Amino acid sequence: MQSSSRTSTRFRSAAVAALVGLLAFFAGPGSAQAEPTAADTAVGDVTGFSADGSVYHLRAGTAEARVSFVSEETFRLELAPGGTFTDPTGTDIVLPQGTPPRTHWKDRGDRYELSTAKVTLRAYKSPLRFALFRADGSQVWAESKPLSWSADTTTQTLARGADEQFYGAGMQNGRGNTSHRGQTVEVGVDGNWDDGGHPNSVPFYLSSAGYGVYRNTYAPNTYAFDDPVTASAEEQRFDAYYFAGKSSKDVIGQYTKLTGKPFMPPIYGLENGDADCYLHNANRGERHTLDALKIADGFVDNDMPNGWMLVNDGYGCGYENLAETSKGLGERNTKLGLWTQDGIANLAQQVKDGQRVAKLDVAWVGGGYKFALDGCKDAYKGIEDNSDARGFTWAPESWAGAQRCGVQWSGDQSGSWDFIRWQIPTYAGSTMSGLAYTTSDVDGIFGGSPKTYTRDLQWKSFLPAMITMDGWAASDKQPYRQGEPYVSINRKYLKLKESLLPYMYSYAHEANTTGVGPVRPLALEYPDDPTAATDAAKYEFLTGEDFLVAPVYQDSATRDGIYLPKGTWIDYWSGRTYQGPTTVNGYSAPLDTLPLFVKAGASVPMWPGIRSYADRTANSPLAWDVYPQGTSSFDLYEDDGVTRQHRDGKYATQRAEVDAPRTGAGDVTMRIGASKGNFQGKQSTRPYQFTVHTGDAPQQVELGGRKLPQFNSLAAYDKASQGWFYDRDDRGGVVKVKTASLRTDTPFEVKLKDAAAVGGAHPGAAATLAVAPGQELGAGVAGKVAVDVTAGNSDATGAGVTLTAPAGWSVTPSAAVGRIPAGTTRRVEVAVTPAKDATPGDTALGAVVRYRSAGQDRTATQQFGASVMPEPPTADTWASDLAWLKSTNGYGPAERDRSNGESGAADGHTLTLAGTTYTKGIGTHADSDIEVYLGGRCTALTADVGIDDEINGYGEVAFSVEADGKVLWTSPKVTGASAAVPVDVKLDGARHVHLKVTDTNGSKTGDHGDWAGAKFSCS
C-alpha cells in the first residue's frame, strides 16, 4: 500500500495540514534536537544567603537559587541564572498547599543545612551543589555537578545509586512499567502515537531510592538515567519540586497532592464506551445521530455492557436531535458523549441536552500544554457546572495535572499483535506518574482482525477505562460484530469487567485519595523484588493488588515468561496454585483464556450477573470471591456512582476481613463489617454470596454461630435462599455460600469449620492437567486428544478424564485410571469427534479429570486449544479457494483473486504482474502470512510472484514458502520494477504450508505482494 493512500491516525488532509502547524507550536521551543552550543555554564560559589521563614535564597554571582519548603518532605528548588525568577505555569498545575512547615537552618562551614523534621537539604558552598538527606542521616540524592545552563537548557546532574531504578515521565508508549535505568526518556509532545512515542507526557520521575522530581514547566524535558543521571528542560530557568517518601506509592501521593489527585470517575466511566460518527459518515453512508440508538440496541440485544457512546467521533462530524438521542440512550442505560473537535463553546447547552462525556482532540486543543490542560479542566468543569454529574473527559495529549480532570489514551492506533505487545507496559507505567486512567481503542481504529480484537479486549477489560472505536476501519468494530466464537468471548470479558465494578470502583476511590491508580507495575507492589524492575515483568501488570494479568500478544494458544512474584498465586480459571517467585512457561491460553492470576489472601467484591450498573436494585446481592490465606482484608467503597454528593461525605465503606490458616487445614472466618456512611440509594439490606477457594469441603458452615443448611447439588443450592454447597468441579474446589438479606448497618460473620486455606487441607495434593499444544482434529472425523494427568504429593485414584467441547461435538470420556502414584504423570487419550460443520482453526476446549486424593473427591480442569482442520484437497486446487487457517497481513485483509486493497475485504483490483493479469491468486501487503492445510495430499506449488503493477515501481519484499516448520523456498529481493518470479516448489508430504511476504527495506510503502496464479497440485 502506498503511504499516500493510508494514514495511521484518523486525521485527513485538511486536519493533517492544520495539525502540522499546531504540533510545532504545541511542542514549544526546542522540541527538535537542539543545535550544538558552547559549553554549559555551571553555577559558581555561594556569595550570599538569606532566610525568610520556610524560603531560603542562595546567591552565586549573578545567579540566584531559591528553596521553598511545601511540606516536611516536599520542597521546591529554583535557579534563575540572571537573578530574576519566572513562573510560566503560574497556578495552572500546582495547587495551593496550605501553611508551609516549620524549618530551621545551620551554617556548617562548607555548607548550609536547610531542615524540616523529616529531611535536610544540604547546600554546599563551593561550588553551589545540593544533596538531600533524611532525618536519620541517610542520603536520598546528591548532585555530582552543580546546576548548569545554556542559552535554552537547564540541567541537573545527580549521582546514580548502584541499584537505583527509575520510573515515570508520564505515558511512554512501549515502556514504563519496568525501570528506565540506562535509558533516555523524552517528555514532550512528539505527535508519535506508536511504539516509542510519548503522548500524555508528564515532567515527573521517581526513583527507587525514595524520591521523586517534578519539573515545574511547560518546556520539553529529557531524562538520561545513566551514571550520572542528567535531567534537562529546554528553558533557561530551573524549577523543580522534590518529594522524599517511604515508598514509591508515598512519592506518587505527594506529587499528586501537589498537582491534583486523580479524579473520581462516575461508575459508567468504568464501563466500556463506544464511539463513531452518526451524521453523514463518509465511511458508512448517509445516517443520522439517532442511528446511535440502533447500536445501543445491539449491545443490549447481545447482552453486552456499554456505559456511554460518543455519537460524533469523526472529523467534520456534527450532531442533530441531541436531547432526543440522549433520552434514547438513557433508556438503554447508556450515557451520551461528544467529541470536541470544534471546541467546547457549546458545552453548556450540550450538557443540558444530556452530554456526560467530553473527548478532547489535538486539532482544537491548540498551541502549548497550557491550552491542553485548560481544555481538560474547562470541559470537566463545563459538565459539572451544567448538571449534577461528575466531570468526565478523555484526552490524547496532556501534561502534569491532567490526572485531575480526565482519562488519557495513547492515540489513534491500528489493531495488530505488535500494538498489543507494546501497549501492555504503557498503561501500568503511566500509573508511576499519577495517571490513574489510561487506555486506547480496542484493536485500534484501523486494521485488526477478529482474533486481535478479542485478545485486545480481554486484557483491556482489566484497565479501568475502555473504549471501542468503530467507524474508521473497514467495518464497524463493536464487540458483537466479529461472529462466533469471538462474540461469546467478548461478552464473557465485558461481563467479567462489569461484575468487577465494585472492586475497580473501590480502587478508583483509592486513586482519588492516594494518587495511586488501579493498574500497577509489579515494581510498585514488589519494590524489593529485583526481577520486577526488569523486562522479565514487562508484558504483565497488576490490577489492584490482587489480579496479575499477562496478556497474550502473539498469534498463539500459549504464553511464556509469566513472572509471578513472591506469594501464592491462583490461576483464575482452573484454581491451580503457584508459589512465587517463579516464571510460568507454556501457559495454556486458547483464544477464550486470558492468563489471569489472583493473589492468595484476596477478597474481591463483585456484582454478579449484571449487564449495566443500572441493573442493580435494592435487593441485588453483593458477592465476595475469597482466596483464604492468613489474615487479610478489603475495604469496599460505595456511593451513588453518578453525582458529586460523595464530595460532601455521602458515601459508605464496608470492610471484609478474613482469618484463615497460612496453609493447610483449619477454620476460615469471614467478617463483614457494618457499612459506615450513607448516600442516596444505599441498600439498607442485601443478600450476600461467597465463593471461597478452599480446595476441600468444610465440615459445616455457620452464619452468626448458627449452622447453614448444606445442599448436595448445585441445582438445589441455586434454588435456595440461604445455605452452602461444596462444588468440587469449580476451579479445584470452592465453597459456595449465600445468605438471606441482611442489614448493611450490622456486622456479621460466616465461618467455614474444618476447612482450609487456598490450596487445600493437604497442600500440593491436587493433580494438574497438561495438554500438548498443536493437537489437530478433523471436522466430522473421529480423533483423540492426549491429556497428561500429574498426581500431586498424594496418589490420585479413579482418575477419569473427559473434555468440555462445543455443541455438536461428540466426546467419549476415558476409562478411569486406577492409580497414578504421587508425583508421576499418566497420559490419557480422550476420544472426540468435532461437528461436521466445525469452523476450521483454533477451538477452545476444556480437559476435566475427576479423581480422589488425600481423602477427598477432587476435580482438576485445564483449558486448551485444539486445531480443527478443514478437509484437505483431493485434486488440484487454487490457493485462493482453500480455507485459510491464518491470514495475517500488513495492511487490511489479504485478498482472494484480487490485489491488496484498502482496509476492507474485496476492495482490491485485478492482479497484475509485469503487464500480465491473473484471474486467480492472493493479494497481500508485507508482512503477511497465509497458512493452508494440505494434509500431505499435495506434491507441488506453482505461482508467479511479485509486487503488483498498481504500485508503479514502489516497494521491496521477499517471498517464501514454508512447510511444517521448514523453509522450502525463498525468492530474491523483489521490487515494484522487478519481473514476475516463477515459483515451483515440491511439497511431498507437507501438511501445513505458509505463504509469506516479508518487507526487506524497513519501509512498508508499496509492499503489495501477489501470489498470482498460485495453485497446488494434489491428489
Side-chain angles (χ1 to χ4, degrees), residues 177 249 424 427-429 431 462-464 503-504 507 517-527 532 537-551 563-565 569 596-599:
N177 71 332
K249 288 184 179 181
I424 297 166
Y427 310 122
T431 298
F462 282 83
L463 303 179
Y503 177 83
M504 189 70 81
Y507 272 102
V519 176
R520 303 172 178 187
L522 270 62
L524 185 62
E525 293 293 340
Y526 300 90
K538 187 172 185 177
Y539 297 114
E540 57 192 72
F541 60 88
L542 299 165
T543 296
E545 296 181 13
D546 297 322
F547 288 101
L548 188 148
V549 185
Y563 179 70
L564 302 178
W569 295 90
L596 180 64
F597 302 84
V598 187
K599 188 176 182 181

Side-chain angles (χ1 to χ4, degrees), residues 422-503:
W422 66 253
Q423 286 177 355
I424 297 166
T426 301
Y427 310 122
S430 301
T431 298
M432 302 300 260
S433 299
L435 301 180
Y437 307 100
T438 54
T439 190
S440 66
D441 305 273
V442 172
D443 204 37
I445 67 171
F446 302 115
S449 68
K451 186 177 286 188
T452 55
Y453 188 103
T454 296
R455 285 297 196 191
D456 205 30
L457 183 144
Q458 286 176 356
W459 72 273
K460 285 177 179 170
S461 295
F462 282 83
L463 303 179
M466 185 174 178
I467 186 173
T468 53
M469 174 67 195
D470 305 309
W472 290 87
S475 57
D476 281 347
K477 299 185 79 169
Q478 288 93 7
Y480 53 81
R481 299 282 191 185
Q482 289 77 27
E484 293 296 349
Y486 310 104
V487 170
S488 293
I489 300 172
N490 294 341
R491 179 187 301 112
K492 168 184 172 180
Y493 284 92
L494 287 173
K495 295 199 77 172
L496 178 57
K497 178 180 179 65
E498 199 74 11
S499 68
L500 287 170
L501 277 176
Y503 177 83

Side-chain angles (χ1 to χ4, degrees), residues 183-200:
Q183 301 178 25
T184 296
V185 179
E186 300 291 341
V187 175
V189 173
D190 61 354
N192 181 3
W193 288 344
D194 294 335
D195 191 3
H198 37 89
N200 298 296

Side-chain angles (χ1 to χ4, degrees), residues 410-735:
S410 55
D412 296 335
Q413 289 143 3
S414 183
S416 71
W417 296 109
D418 194 52
F419 274 84
I420 294 175
R421 177 193 60 77
W422 66 253
Q423 286 177 355
I424 297 166
T426 301
Y427 310 122
S430 301
T431 298
M432 302 300 260
S433 299
L435 301 180
Y437 307 100
T438 54
T439 190
S440 66
D441 305 273
V442 172
D443 204 37
I445 67 171
F446 302 115
S449 68
K451 186 177 286 188
T452 55
Y453 188 103
T454 296
R455 285 297 196 191
D456 205 30
L457 183 144
Q458 286 176 356
W459 72 273
K460 285 177 179 170
S461 295
F462 282 83
L463 303 179
M466 185 174 178
I467 186 173
T468 53
M469 174 67 195
D470 305 309
W472 290 87
S475 57
D476 281 347
K477 299 185 79 169
Q478 288 93 7
Y480 53 81
R481 299 282 191 185
Q482 289 77 27
E484 293 296 349
Y486 310 104
V487 170
S488 293
I489 300 172
N490 294 341
R491 179 187 301 112
K492 168 184 172 180
Y493 284 92
L494 287 173
K495 295 199 77 172
L496 178 57
K497 178 180 179 65
E498 199 74 11
S499 68
L500 287 170
L501 277 176
Y503 177 83
M504 189 70 81
Y505 198 61
S506 295
Y507 272 102
H509 169 68
E510 180 175 311
N512 185 240
T513 304
T514 69
V516 180
V519 176
R520 303 172 178 187
L522 270 62
L524 185 62
E525 293 293 340
Y526 300 90
D528 297 326
D529 183 342
T531 304
T534 70
D535 282 357
K538 187 172 185 177
Y539 297 114
E540 57 192 72
F541 60 88
L542 299 165
T543 296
E545 296 181 13
D546 297 322
F547 288 101
L548 188 148
V549 185
V552 175
Y553 56 90
Q554 297 172 319
D555 189 3
S556 174
T558 59
R559 166 70 205 260
D560 292 328
I562 303 172
Y563 179 70
L564 302 178
K566 182 179 179 180
T568 303
W569 295 90
I570 302 93
D571 185 324
Y572 185 77
W573 309 110
S574 70
R576 179 177 177 177
T577 60
Y578 297 84
Q579 195 63 41
T582 189
T583 298
V584 179
N585 291 311
Y587 180 93
S588 181
L591 186 60
D592 72 340
T593 302
L594 168 72
L596 180 64
F597 302 84
V598 187
K599 188 176 182 181
S603 296
V604 180
M606 303 180 75
W607 287 342
I610 62 170
R611 190 196 67 83
S612 166
Y613 79 92
D615 292 341
R616 299 277 297 170
T617 69
N619 298 316
S620 293
L622 176 67
W624 289 93
D625 195 22
V626 180
Y627 299 78
Q629 185 183 76
T631 301
S632 60
S633 64
F634 187 92
D635 291 317
L636 172 70
Y637 172 86
E638 299 176 282
D639 60 31
D640 67 26
V642 177
T643 75
R644 304 188 296 276
Q645 294 183 22
H646 66 290
R647 298 177 191 170
D648 298 323
K650 295 184 178 180
Y651 62 86
T653 59
Q654 186 175 32
R655 169 164 281 207
E657 297 178 335
V658 179
D659 285 328
R662 286 297 305 170
T663 186
D667 295 348
V668 175
T669 302
M670 296 168 289
R671 300 183 184 90
I672 306 301
S675 178
K676 300 177 181 179
N678 204 2
F679 59 90
Q680 185 174 357
K682 178 184 175 180
Q683 292 175 288
S684 58
T685 64
R686 62 184 168 205
Y688 290 84
Q689 299 175 2
F690 299 87
T691 301
V692 191
H693 298 253
T694 60
D696 280 290
Q699 182 185 66
Q700 67 184 44
V701 176
E702 299 174 350
L703 172 62
R706 302 179 64 179
K707 290 176 60 175
L708 286 174
Q710 178 183 1
F711 297 96
N712 295 321
S713 72
L714 183 59
Y717 171 81
D718 287 340
K719 290 179 182 178
S721 61
Q722 183 166 278
W724 69 278
F725 170 66
Y726 178 69
D727 192 343
R728 61 174 282 194
D729 294 337
D730 186 359
R731 292 168 286 179
V734 301
V735 183

Side-chain angles (χ1 to χ4, degrees), residues 318 328 402 629 745 750:
Q629 185 183 76
D745 62 358
V750 174

Side-chain angles (χ1 to χ4, degrees), residues 715-794:
Y717 171 81
D718 287 340
K719 290 179 182 178
S721 61
Q722 183 166 278
W724 69 278
F725 170 66
Y726 178 69
D727 192 343
R728 61 174 282 194
D729 294 337
D730 186 359
R731 292 168 286 179
V734 301
V735 183
K736 297 181 177 180
V737 184
K738 58 183 173 181
T739 75
S741 196
L742 302 175
R743 292 181 61 91
T744 56
D745 62 358
T746 303
F748 67 93
E749 179 179 285
V750 174
K751 177 171 286 190
L752 280 57
K753 300 283 290 184
D754 296 326
V758 65
H762 300 274
T768 58
L769 296 179
V771 183
Q775 299 194 55
E776 295 181 355
L777 300 167
V781 178
K784 293 182 178 180
V785 170
V787 180
D788 290 335
V789 184
T790 301
N793 56 23
S794 297

Side-chain angles (χ1 to χ4, degrees), residues 748-921:
F748 67 93
E749 179 179 285
V750 174
K751 177 171 286 190
L752 280 57
K753 300 283 290 184
D754 296 326
V758 65
H762 300 274
T768 58
L769 296 179
V771 183
Q775 299 194 55
E776 295 181 355
L777 300 167
V781 178
K784 293 182 178 180
V785 170
V787 180
D788 290 335
V789 184
T790 301
N793 56 23
S794 297
D795 291 357
T797 59
V801 181
T802 189
L803 303 179
T804 57
W809 289 44
S810 173
V811 177
T812 302
S814 73
V817 179
R819 174 174 171 267
I820 304 176
T824 66
T825 299
R826 175 74 177 269
R827 173 159 289 185
V828 178
E829 291 187 333
V830 182
V832 57
T833 303
K836 290 184 178 180
D837 59 353
T839 302
D842 292 337
T843 299
L845 303 173
V848 181
V849 59
R850 294 170 67 88
Y851 64 101
R852 187 169 180 83
S853 180
Q856 283 273 2
D857 291 329
R858 304 178 186 275
T859 304
T861 61
Q862 178 64 61
Q863 294 297 108
F864 67 97
S867 297
V868 177
M869 297 296 107
E871 185 178 356
T874 57
D876 293 354
T877 305
W878 299 106
S880 57
D881 291 341
L882 287 171
W884 294 347
L885 298 181
K886 176 188 289 186
S887 58
T888 58
N889 205 46
Y891 182 74
E895 298 277 16
R896 299 177 187 266
D897 304 326
R898 303 178 73 86
S899 67
N900 189 88
E902 294 289 334
S903 58
D907 61 1
H909 305 96
T910 301
L911 293 163
T912 307
L913 293 180
T916 301
T917 61
Y918 298 80
T919 58
K920 303 295 291 183

